[in-house]
Amino acid sequence: MNSWEEMFQQQPIVSKMLTNSIKKKRISHAYLLYGDKGTGKYALAQLVAKSIFCKNKEGYEPCGTCLDCKRINSGNHPDLHIIHPDGASIKTDQIAHLKKEFTYTGLESNKKVYIIEHADKMTDNAANRLLKFLEEPSQETTAVLLTENSQSLLSTIRSRCQILALMPLNSKQLEQKLIETGITEGNARILTNFTRNLDEALDKSKDTWFAQARKLVVQLVEMLQNNRDEVPIFVHTQWMAHFKEKTQLQEGLDLLLVWFRDVIHYHMDDSSSIVFLHQMEKLEQASMYWSIQDITKHLQTIMEAKRKLEQNVHPQLVIEQLTLQIQR
Ligand SMILES: [Zn+2]
């Protein structure tokens, strides 16, 4: 993300606040940006730095092509310091080193910016050292702390910063990020139905349990159409063996909901909404077997099954009833 214009699409509120203070030349001494992975924290910090250092900027928008901008992009600007965890934590000597660097005046201007990634990973000693640093701000220094978990930061540090909360990714943005990591469009769509958090989605994409759960859902639906006699034994031996915990079973039913909604999308020729993109043939078969009215009824039945699970009705009983009702 190289420009505020782009950033406004993803993070309109925070972008507005930051560009306003840049316009008015009232940049804070310290910002704390918090939000999930993938929400643009680092890109925002870089944009703040570019708006401070770029000599060709138009209004608050940096040019993106001058030497300052290029060096910020590559992380090599002499007056921009970036700290990230050394192993599991950010250590005292990293903060001490930063302070020492800041006793020299800026190499190219008198301004200096530092970015601390995963600021919640500071050891207590490191955090206390940083706190002293934040307590004696110099006119020309800007700190940008980034975290996914602002509550783990010392409250004394938080109170020294202007805190800006980033919005979570919407499903389209998350889908795009997942595709960028090499995940197929179909898988990305399924994952975004279960989380809006990039890390969780990436974990789930590698989760063999979740992959098997999806297969079982497709198998169950096929069996409900073609081999009704085998459904009880399938539920008993395979379904219940895989969805052992209540939360797992809820997730199985969520997948079933997604599947039946897909069949409706298929009926309505709305392929852009289909989640199970890998299963178009099976969706077609299901759409020939069940009408939209049938499926609307099935969706209600599944929702009802989910409620019964919440009310602690015996799981196997819930699923047996559900499959019987879908077969009616
Ligand atoms: Zn520039």
Side-chain angles (χ1 to χ4, degrees):
M1 198 117 13
N2 274 315
S3 66
W4 285 110
E5 197 186 341
E6 283 174 82
M7 189 50 88
F8 264 95
Q9 308 293 320
Q10 194 181 335
Q11 293 294 345
I13 300 165
V14 169
S15 297
K16 179 103 193 135
M17 291 171 84
L18 286 169
T19 52
N20 266 344
S21 46
I22 293 163
K23 261 193 293 195
K24 293 180 186 151
K25 297 197 183 345
R26 278 168 45 190
I27 297 173
S28 291
H29 294 302
Y31 292 102
L32 172 61
L33 302 180
Y34 81 92
D36 287 344
K37 184 174 175 179
T39 47
K41 295 183 292 296
Y42 189 75
L44 272 165
Q46 274 188 319
L47 277 170
V48 170
K50 280 189 236 176
S51 293
I52 290 173
F53 291 118
C54 175
K55 293 178 190 87
N56 300 327
K57 62 173 181 269
E58 278 187 42
Y60 52 74
E61 191 75 276
C63 74
T65 52
C66 70
L67 188 59
D68 285 296
C69 286
K70 279 186 186 157
R71 288 194 293 194
I72 291 167
N73 280 340
S74 60
N76 287 319
H77 195 283
D79 293 322
L80 169 66
H81 296 258
I82 301 156
I83 292 185
H84 25 235
D86 173 14
S89 58
I90 295 171
K91 305 198 165 63
T92 320
D93 54 357
Q94 290 179 274
I95 304 294
H97 178 73
L98 177 77
K99 276 170 107 165
K100 203 170 147 226
E101 288 289 320
F102 274 67
T103 55
Y104 310 121
T105 50
L107 288 176
E108 314 236 329
S109 64
N110 45 4
K111 294 175 185 141
K112 280 181 172 278
V113 176
Y114 60 99
I115 300 173
I116 303 185
E117 289 189 274
H118 301 285
D120 54 292
K121 300 259 160 71
M122 277 185 286
T123 63
D124 286 352
N125 278 338
N128 280 315
R129 266 201 119 123
L130 180 73
L131 184 60
K132 289 208 193 87
F133 199 27
L134 289 172
E135 278 167 349
E136 30 194 78
S138 108
Q139 222 27 273
E140 307 288 347
T141 298
T142 307
V144 189
L145 279 56
L146 312 179
T147 181
E148 288 167 31
N149 183 4
S150 72
Q151 290 309 313
S152 317
L153 270 167
L154 286 182
S155 60
T156 41
I157 288 191
R158 274 187 280 141
S159 69
R160 294 268 156 201
C161 298
Q162 184 180 345
I163 300 178
L164 300 173
L166 275 64
M167 294 198 306
L169 296 171
N170 66 35
S171 63
K172 275 283 158 237
Q173 291 163 340
L174 179 59
E175 194 179 309
Q176 200 46 46
K177 298 250 173 212
L178 289 168
I179 292 169
E180 281 164 19
T181 70
I183 290 174
T184 62
E185 191 182 358
N187 285 338
R189 269 200 205 168
I190 292 178
L191 293 165
T192 53
N193 266 272
F194 286 85
T195 176
R196 287 292 152 80
N197 178 295
L198 183 59
D199 269 340
E200 273 174 36
L202 288 171
D203 282 349
K204 239 182 169 47
S205 75
K206 293 177 207 129
D207 181 355
T208 51
W209 180 90
F210 188 65
Q212 179 63 13
R214 282 153 51 184
K215 271 191 206 145
L216 287 174
V217 166
V218 177
Q219 278 176 23
L220 176 65
V221 178
E222 231 183 352
M223 224 170 255
L224 286 166
Q225 294 166 58
N226 304 323
N227 297 311
R228 292 171 160 214
D229 295 346
E230 288 173 33
V231 170
I233 185 88
F234 175 81
V235 166
H236 188 72
T237 58
Q238 303 210 40
W239 186 275
M240 296 312 292
H242 189 70
F243 299 100
K244 290 193 193 90
E245 307 289 331
K246 196 163 88 178
T247 50
Q248 294 179 325
L249 200 47
Q250 290 285 18
E251 205 155 293
L253 293 182
D254 286 335
L255 279 165
L256 206 56
L257 282 172
V258 172
W259 173 270
F260 277 112
R261 281 193 205 113
D262 270 3
V263 184
I264 291 189
H265 296 316
Y266 194 93
H267 267 295
M268 301 179 82
D269 238 349
D270 178 12
S271 61
S272 67
S273 302
I274 288 177
V275 173
F276 278 88
L277 283 172
H278 299 323
Q279 306 284 358
M280 290 305 237
E281 241 172 74
K282 294 202 167 122
L283 286 172
E284 187 187 357
Q285 287 162 14
S287 75
M288 290 194 288
Y289 191 82
W290 287 300
S291 68
I292 292 186
Q293 286 81 354
D294 291 336
I295 294 164
T296 311
K297 232 167 54 196
H298 297 342
L299 289 172
Q300 284 163 359
T301 311
I302 301 167
M303 295 300 289
E304 182 57 29
K306 283 175 65 65
R307 272 193 293 275
K308 283 183 192 155
L309 276 180
E310 271 321 304
Q311 292 158 2
N312 286 321
V313 181
H314 192 282
Q316 178 138 355
L317 194 67
V318 172
I319 302 303
E320 279 169 3
Q321 280 182 350
L322 171 69
T323 53
L324 281 174
Q325 276 173 301
I326 291 180
Q327 291 176 68
R328 247 179 231 149

